[in-house]
Amino acid sequence: MKRNIVFHRNIHFSGSIRIIGGRWKNRKIPVLSCENLRPTTSRMRETIFNWLTPKINGAHCLDCFAGSGALGLEALSRYAASVIFLEKNFHYSNQICKILQTLQIEKNIAIVVRTNTLHWMKQSNKIFDLVFIDPPFYQGLIEKTIYLLNLYRLLKRDAWIYIESEYEISYLNVPMNWRMKRKKSNSKVTYWLYQLSN
């Protein structure tokens, strides 16, 4: 029998998000009550992962600025080979760890790193099939992240990159070999999908 994931004690939750597809479809994940936490909505994740269907199975993924972990968890549910969650907030990263423990995910498949994403990228020697970039808005983090991904060659030759930005942004400065495959906006965010081309 499937169980929703519930944590107690002195943790306050604002609600939950639902995993959209895969082995944990319809499983609910609690979301911490914090005005700075902005999980990707169910509708957006359904759109995103429909875009990514041909790529996700067996992909090695990087979830930058993981927050609630919604994107990385959705990828794992759809049989990504591995996900590294980068999140500097102790409470957020700790909760992702608890969720992974409840889902009984092996530690070599899902790794949570409590770190500054930009600092981690400068020290990493890993490369990825798929990267999620969904940072806190209005801090100029998106183009810094793009720059470091490219500078330190953290992407495989045909990698995919998903980005969520402030809805006001209509253009992103990306490397010349990144091809925009999809772009969609609502009243709050714009989301983008790029692929590296050889």
Side-chain angles (χ1 to χ4, degrees), residues 14 31-40 65-69 87-89 91-92 134-139 141 164:
S14 60
V31 176
L32 288 171
S33 179
C34 178
E35 63 180 338
N36 295 323
L37 189 61
R38 178 185 42 78
T40 304
F65 314 98
S68 68
E87 175 52 57
K88 70 177 182 179
N89 182 287
H91 298 291
Y92 300 167
D134 181 16
F137 286 172
Y138 306 106
Q139 296 184 28
L141 291 170
E164 280 186 39

Side-chain angles (χ1 to χ4, degrees), residues 53-167:
T53 295
K55 185 65 179 177
I56 196 70
N57 194 327
H60 294 280
C61 306
L62 179 65
D63 189 355
C64 305
F65 314 98
S68 68
L71 294 171
L73 290 166
E74 192 77 49
L76 288 170
S77 183
R78 296 169 188 251
Y79 302 97
S82 67
V83 176
I84 296 179
F85 298 83
L86 304 179
E87 175 52 57
K88 70 177 182 179
N89 182 287
F90 170 80
H91 298 291
Y92 300 167
S93 59
N94 191 49
Q95 187 182 350
I96 296 170
C97 288
K98 290 181 179 180
I99 292 169
L100 293 170
Q101 289 171 3
T102 302
L103 295 172
Q104 299 181 333
I105 298 299
E106 297 175 18
K107 291 183 178 179
N108 63 326
I109 293 175
I111 300 171
V112 181
V113 185
R114 184 157 61 93
T115 186
N116 178 299
T117 291
L118 302 182
H119 293 170
W120 185 90
M121 286 181 171
K122 295 174 184 179
Q123 301 170 13
S124 176
N125 60 0
K126 297 182 181 296
I127 56 174
F128 299 93
D129 301 295
L130 174 59
V131 176
F132 301 104
I133 304 173
D134 181 16
F137 286 172
Y138 306 106
Q139 296 184 28
L141 291 170
I142 290 174
E143 292 195 353
K144 291 178 182 178
T145 305
I146 291 170
Y147 173 77
L148 293 176
L149 283 173
N150 188 57
L151 179 65
Y152 291 100
R153 299 183 179 180
L154 303 181
L155 300 170
K156 292 187 180 178
R157 292 179 65 182
D158 61 345
W160 293 75
I161 308 98
Y162 169 75
I163 300 170
E164 280 186 39
S165 72
E166 304 91 320
Y167 77 95

